[in-house]
Amino acid sequence: MSRVAVIGTGVSKFGERDDVSLRELAAEATEGALKGSGLEVSDLEASVFGVANQYLAQQVQPGAIINSYLGLTGKPSFTTTDACASGSAAIRAGWMSIRSGVHDVVLVVGAEKMNGLKTLQALEAMGRAGDPEWELNPTGITDTGLYAIFANAHMKRFGTTEEQLAKIAVKNYKYGSMNPISHLKKKVEIEDVLNSSVVSAPLKLHDCSLVSDGAASVVLASEEAASKLEDDLVYIDGIGCSTDTAAIFDRESLTELKATRLAAERAYKMAKVEPKDIDIADVHDCFTIAELLAYEDLGFCEKGEGGNFIEERKPYKDGETPINIDGGLKAKGHPLGATGVAMAAEITEQLKGNAGKRQVNGAEIGLTHNVARDGTHAFVHVFRRG
Amino acid sequence: MSRVAVIGTGVSKFGERDDVSLRELAAEATEGALKGSGLEVSDLEASVFGVANQYLAQQVQPGAIINSYLGLTGKPSFTTTDACASGSAAIRAGWMSIRSGVHDVVLVVGAEKMNGLKTLQALEAMGRAGDPEWELNPTGITDTGLYAIFANAHMKRFGTTEEQLAKIAVKNYKYGSMNPISHLKKKVEIEDVLNSSVVSAPLKLHDCSLVSDGAASVVLASEEAASKLEDDLVYIDGIGCSTDTAAIFDRESLTELKATRLAAERAYKMAKVEPKDIDIADVHDCFTIAELLAYEDLGFCEKGEGGNFIEERKPYKDGETPINIDGGLKAKGHPLGATGVAMAAEITEQLKGNAGKRQVNGAEIGLTHNVARDGTHAFVHVFRRG
């Protein structure tokens, strides 16, 4: 079966985008992806859209509206939605649509406009990604509360410190300030993080990702179609996905995201690589503790060693495994449906050597890791140059 | 590449299901599908869920909740959402996941609980499937209003009558009363339809489908995996999809659903069949005019001939092309996300000869036709026995 290549990428400016609607954000990203691929809209055979939250979108069929606005009327399309991992679900579906032989060139777009609702409404809308009947409604718990539970458990079991979590934020702000599309461009020091207001102890303001508007697009193509357009290709050679219980009271462990571990195993196996082969990764840092869990669950270090991993600067640009060199969800931003697609765009451009100041030298194999909510889903994709 | 078989089907009772939650509805349907396939939950490799409306569900990640409740924790899964066609989008995605070689046995579940909100809230929630910014908000138009426009246009252009539309309702009520899972089991006469209250002229109460709770499940399998389980197999040999503009002011015609026409062309081509080869079809009769348009757009009769097609009883059980012999959305019910999967279940069981009183003799090739909203998407799938 055909390998699947990423032949064009585009990411909108992330941030508070009151200047545009959801469909316009999607068009902004898609313009870049088309330009990168050298294709016209008419060359696209089909589309897959990833949008997470119909409450935030204030519409229940955003894919149809975006598809129409992009000029894709008449082409096959469908929409995926799995909370914060909706974009990676769309990439998985688009990849399968090519691998199945149905299509050769498919546009995948992730988009979310999160600033259309007032903050409390937005929080409730996001809270509904959990288990409203068995968790949200009876306990009122939010995403931050869930990850605070994970952080407390990790600190208690492994001695992880608030300073170590803060160092993850410092790293991601640093790289975010080098990324033109970032929502926040500011440098923070460890003290800034530690002294920021507590959201849900031990997580503080600077441990949390952002409420961003944004969109990202990639054009996927079969090896045959891609080879006609470019010589220097990046392929998605491994796609892994797993799920976990919707409510955390059913989980076996509070110090790992099991879905990440299983998704990674599947992706590594399909791509025939091991964690040590990964030259660069974008991981799901919705909170600093989430990035730390990812270090361990993706196999970049042993369980419990995440604190040391950041202490030793291993996820820095010149470290052992550069991670979130685009600023991550923390600084680049986290427009839910866009996030997984933006990760794919970043890793593709890194492997092509197009990442400018953020370029990781000699990167040949990359990885994206995108999580829904508190690990109800995880998608891990392995990218390879050539 | 492998053909994709349907090896088990299950459909919950449709109706006002205040007795169960969304996840329980999904479990009810899945129990039937597993029983039919002879498999255990542990034999399922992955799942795809189709749920249309997060407002109706009052949650934004229903797939995660259902997956967990069904005991599929740890397996790959994602969710599709394309309004009333979400179930067929899930089948398309599940089909591709097998055809791509990633999985061999995949559970596809469509589910919707529509009676959790008050009627006006539900109407607004469904209205958001259109183009809220450019259509719903400025004009306030509902689904019924859109299909009333189509009906008026068809009547004016082709002389179609309200009596002809009423005959479609009479047929579907008749067959719905023979289906154990139907939401409504009553027989109506043409006068009952014509004298029912006007909802949006010329569409009256009995021209409209129902606000139903329900779920449907199918187990899909690769030819190799399926052949180990059964001798008498039904395959999905053609999958066609198309899209149209999100708002109708951009449409070329008000007397066809272009997405249906294009999706059907693609499905027929892939399955190497023609409309005359179809022995039985389930089509998207959200309103009687929608079924009439489907007769024409699927090629069962010429454009403008839909009125005569029903007059001549061609879509009856013993007619030329039996259509909606399960009662259709009109009488069986229309729990949005469940609809496309329930169609697949019905056509599979018809082709296997398991449809009891509703059995169409000698049916070898069947078709499902599922539409989002007013034709923003259409999915046409062709099923073949053996």
Side-chain angles (χ1 to χ4, degrees):
Chain A
M1 290 178 193
S2 173
R3 288 172 84 191
V4 178
V6 186
I7 60 168
T9 73
V11 184
S12 79
K13 174 82 181 71
F14 283 9
E16 290 189 36
R17 296 295 307 272
D18 296 337
D19 55 321
V20 286
S21 65
L22 183 69
R23 69 188 93 191
E24 289 167 331
L25 272 175
E28 188 179 320
T30 303
E31 191 181 355
L34 283 171
K35 197 172 164 192
S37 67
L39 297 176
E40 306 286 328
V41 172
S42 57
D43 297 318
L44 302 170
E45 289 175 26
S47 58
V48 184
F49 298 101
V51 182
N53 197 303
Q54 296 177 358
Y55 286 86
L56 293 174
Q58 298 175 59
Q59 51 200 27
V60 305
Q61 225 202 154
I65 293 170
I66 297 170
N67 191 69
S68 188
Y69 189 70
L70 295 180
L72 293 166
T73 296
K75 309 211 174 182
S77 180
F78 64 95
T79 305
T80 59
T81 188
D82 289 294
C84 326
S86 299
S88 288
I91 287 185
R92 183 176 175 88
W95 187 96
M96 286 174 165
S97 75
I98 290 172
R99 186 84 155 195
S100 66
V102 176
H103 300 303
D104 279 307
V105 181
V106 174
L107 176 72
V108 178
V109 182
E112 208 86 33
K113 201 152 175 358
M114 302 181 70
N115 287 296
L117 295 181
K118 296 199 191 338
T119 306
L120 272 178
Q121 291 174 309
L123 273 179
E124 196 206 330
M126 285 186 276
R128 287 175 189 272
D131 188 329
E133 290 162 286
W134 293 3
E135 194 174 73
L136 174 71
N137 294 346
T139 71
I141 199 159
T142 63
D143 293 351
T144 321
L146 290 164
Y147 278 92
I149 291 173
F150 298 153
N152 281 313
H154 208 278
M155 290 165 70
K156 186 171 176 192
R157 182 163 169 204
F158 299 114
T160 304
T161 65
E162 294 185 44
E163 287 75 13
Q164 289 170 337
L165 295 178
K167 285 182 178 175
I168 293 174
V170 170
K171 170 180 73 72
N172 292 354
Y173 273 110
K174 170 188 159 85
Y175 293 124
S177 69
M178 296 158 64
N179 187 346
I181 64 105
S182 284
H183 186 164
L184 285 188
K185 288 179 195 165
K186 59 196 276 185
K187 291 197 180 175
V188 303
E189 303 300 330
I190 292 178
E191 292 66 33
D192 299 324
V193 182
L194 293 175
N195 295 328
S196 64
S197 52
V198 173
V199 180
S200 186
L203 301 179
K204 294 163 284 291
L205 185 67
H206 286 304
D207 288 296
C208 305
S209 59
L210 307 167
V211 174
S212 313
D213 307 323
S217 297
V218 295
V219 179
L220 302 181
S222 64
E223 188 168 9
E224 193 186 341
S227 302
K228 290 179 187 158
L229 294 164
E230 289 182 51
D231 293 325
D232 185 19
L233 288 168
V234 170
Y235 294 95
I236 304 178
D237 279 348
I239 57 165
C241 172
S242 189
T243 49
D244 205 340
T245 61
I248 64 163
F249 58 72
D250 274 331
R251 299 276 174 95
E252 291 165 23
S253 166
L254 295 176
T255 55
E256 73 162 7
L257 295 191
K258 188 178 172 184
T260 296
R261 186 164 52 75
L262 292 175
E265 279 175 15
R266 289 163 190 164
Y268 291 145
K269 188 178 170 192
M270 191 187 287
K272 300 190 178 69
V273 298
E274 294 178 30
K276 67 175 173 50
D277 299 323
I278 302 300
D279 299 317
I280 180 168
D282 255 22
V283 310
H284 196 90
D285 61 320
C286 50
F287 301 95
T288 49
I289 180 64
E291 178 165 323
L292 188 138
L293 291 174
Y295 298 157
E296 301 171 353
D297 298 334
L298 293 167
F300 298 143
C301 65
E302 295 296 315
K303 179 51 64 186
E305 288 296 314
N308 290 334
F309 193 76
I310 179 70
E311 288 273 11
E312 294 165 10
R313 299 174 68 90
K314 290 184 178 172
Y316 271 71
K317 182 166 164 286
D318 52 358
E320 191 176 278
T321 310
I323 288 173
N324 289 344
I325 308 305
D326 57 358
L329 284 57
K330 168 66 267 189
K332 184 177 68 172
H334 182 27
L336 314 173
T339 287
V341 184
M343 288 175 169
E346 174 72 10
I347 294 301
T348 299
E349 297 307 331
Q350 280 277 0
L351 298 189
K352 289 191 170 187
N354 296 335
K357 282 194 291 181
R358 306 189 309 284
Q359 183 63 46
V360 170
N361 289 329
E364 297 279 332
I365 300 178
L367 175 147
T368 62
H369 162 250
N370 191 192
V371 170
R373 176 82 166 168
D374 55 348
T376 57
H377 292 68
F379 293 85
V380 175
H381 299 158
V382 175
F383 296 67
R384 191 194 296 260
R385 183 181 186 180
Chain B
M1 289 178 192
S2 173
R3 289 171 84 190
V4 177
V6 186
I7 60 168
T9 73
V11 185
S12 79
K13 174 80 181 73
F14 283 10
E16 290 189 35
R17 295 295 308 273
D18 297 337
D19 55 322
V20 285
S21 65
L22 183 68
R23 69 188 94 190
E24 290 168 328
L25 272 174
E28 186 179 321
T30 303
E31 192 181 354
L34 283 171
K35 197 173 164 192
S37 67
L39 297 177
E40 306 286 328
V41 172
S42 57
D43 298 318
L44 302 170
E45 289 176 25
S47 58
V48 184
F49 298 101
V51 182
N53 197 303
Q54 296 176 359
Y55 286 86
L56 293 174
Q58 298 175 59
Q59 52 200 27
V60 305
Q61 223 201 157
I65 293 170
I66 297 170
N67 191 69
S68 188
Y69 190 70
L70 295 181
L72 293 166
T73 296
K75 309 212 174 182
S77 178
F78 63 96
T79 305
T80 58
T81 188
D82 290 293
C84 325
S86 299
S88 288
I91 287 185
R92 183 176 175 88
W95 186 96
M96 285 173 166
S97 75
I98 291 172
R99 186 84 154 195
S100 66
V102 176
H103 300 302
D104 278 307
V105 181
V106 174
L107 176 72
V108 178
V109 181
E112 208 86 31
K113 200 150 173 7
M114 302 180 70
N115 288 296
L117 296 181
K118 297 201 190 335
T119 307
L120 272 179
Q121 291 174 308
L123 273 178
E124 197 206 331
M126 286 186 274
R128 288 176 189 272
D131 188 329
E133 290 161 287
W134 294 3
E135 194 173 74
L136 174 70
N137 295 345
T139 70
I141 199 160
T142 63
D143 293 351
T144 321
L146 290 164
Y147 278 91
I149 290 172
F150 298 153
N152 281 312
H154 208 278
M155 289 164 71
K156 186 171 177 193
R157 182 164 170 205
F158 299 115
T160 304
T161 65
E162 294 185 44
E163 287 75 13
Q164 289 169 337
L165 294 177
K167 284 181 178 178
I168 293 174
V170 169
K171 169 180 73 71
N172 292 355
Y173 273 110
K174 171 188 160 85
Y175 293 123
S177 69
M178 295 158 64
N179 187 346
I181 66 105
S182 285
H183 186 165
L184 285 189
K185 288 178 194 165
K186 59 197 274 185
K187 289 195 182 175
V188 303
E189 303 299 330
I190 292 179
E191 292 67 34
D192 299 322
V193 182
L194 293 175
N195 294 329
S196 64
S197 51
V198 173
V199 180
S200 185
L203 301 178
K204 294 162 286 288
L205 185 67
H206 287 304
D207 288 295
C208 303
S209 59
L210 307 168
V211 174
S212 312
D213 307 323
S217 298
V218 295
V219 179
L220 302 181
S222 65
E223 187 167 11
E224 194 185 340
S227 302
K228 290 179 187 159
L229 295 163
E230 288 183 51
D231 293 325
D232 185 19
L233 289 167
V234 169
Y235 293 96
I236 304 179
D237 278 348
I239 57 164
C241 172
S242 189
T243 49
D244 204 341
T245 61
I248 64 164
F249 57 71
D250 274 331
R251 300 276 173 95
E252 290 165 22
S253 166
L254 296 175
T255 55
E256 72 162 6
L257 295 190
K258 188 178 172 183
T260 296
R261 186 164 51 73
L262 292 174
E265 279 175 15
R266 290 164 190 164
Y268 291 145
K269 188 177 170 193
M270 190 187 287
K272 299 191 178 68
V273 298
E274 295 179 28
K276 67 175 173 49
D277 299 323
I278 302 299
D279 298 319
I280 179 168
D282 254 22
V283 310
H284 195 90
D285 61 320
C286 50
F287 300 95
T288 49
I289 180 65
E291 178 164 323
L292 187 138
L293 291 174
Y295 299 157
E296 301 171 357
D297 297 334
L298 292 167
F300 299 143
C301 65
E302 295 296 316
K303 181 50 65 185
E305 288 296 316
N308 289 335
F309 192 76
I310 180 69
E311 290 272 12
E312 293 166 9
R313 299 175 66 91
K314 289 183 178 173
Y316 270 71
K317 182 165 163 288
D318 52 359
E320 193 176 278
T321 310
I323 288 173
N324 289 343
I325 308 305
D326 57 358
L329 284 58
K330 169 66 264 187
K332 184 176 68 172
H334 181 26
L336 313 173
T339 287
V341 184
M343 288 174 168
E346 174 72 10
I347 295 300
T348 299
E349 297 307 331
Q350 280 277 359
L351 299 189
K352 288 191 170 186
N354 296 336
K357 281 194 294 181
R358 306 190 308 285
Q359 183 62 46
V360 170
N361 289 328
E364 297 278 331
I365 301 178
L367 176 148
T368 62
H369 162 250
N370 191 192
V371 169
R373 175 81 166 168
D374 56 347
T376 57
H377 291 67
F379 294 84
V380 174
H381 299 158
V382 175
F383 296 67
R384 190 195 296 261
R385 182 180 185 180

